[in-house]
């Protein structure tokens, strides 16, 4: 997931969020910041009335071959609110 977007309604739950897949990484969930931040689930109520972003956070998985993944540890999802 990189720069994908969904629509949400302010005051309502986000609803179904995409579940990204990335080779060599475990998806930790969607968060309000690229590092740290608050976890956001389908049941989380949208508190913003403007376009904002959620960040997929990742944990590298030991591949067992000495070649551990590297690169960005987050991906961004654009939320357009109405």
């Amino acid at each position: 997931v990189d720069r994908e977007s969904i629509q949400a309604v302010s005051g309502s739950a986000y609803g179904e969020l995409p579940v990204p897949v990335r080779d060599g990484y475990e998806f930790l969930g969607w968060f309000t910041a690229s590092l740290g931040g608050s976890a956001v689930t389908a049941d989380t109520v949208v508190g913003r009335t403007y376009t904002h972003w959620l960040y997929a956070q990742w944990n590298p998985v030991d591949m067992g071959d000495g070649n551990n993944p590297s690169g960005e540890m987050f991906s961004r999802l654009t939320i357009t609110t109405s």
Side-chain angles (χ1 to χ4, degrees):
V1 175
D2 187 29
R3 295 183 187 86
E4 285 192 26
S5 65
I6 63 170
Q7 291 192 338
V9 177
S10 183
S12 297
Y14 278 94
E16 185 177 350
L17 296 171
V19 179
V21 175
R22 186 173 177 188
D23 287 342
Y25 291 87
E26 169 191 17
F27 174 60
L28 299 177
W30 291 106
F31 291 82
T32 57
S34 60
L35 295 172
S38 300
V40 176
T41 68
D43 297 327
T44 302
V45 174
V46 179
R48 298 178 178 170
T49 58
Y50 49 86
T51 298
H52 59 282
W53 297 272
L54 297 180
Y55 298 86
Q57 292 184 9
W58 305 91
N59 187 43
V61 175
D62 184 350
M63 303 301 287
D65 60 4
N67 295 319
N68 293 329
S70 61
E72 295 290 336
M73 297 303 294
F74 67 91
S75 302
R76 190 170 79 175
L77 175 68
T78 303
I79 309 297
T80 304
T81 57
S82 57

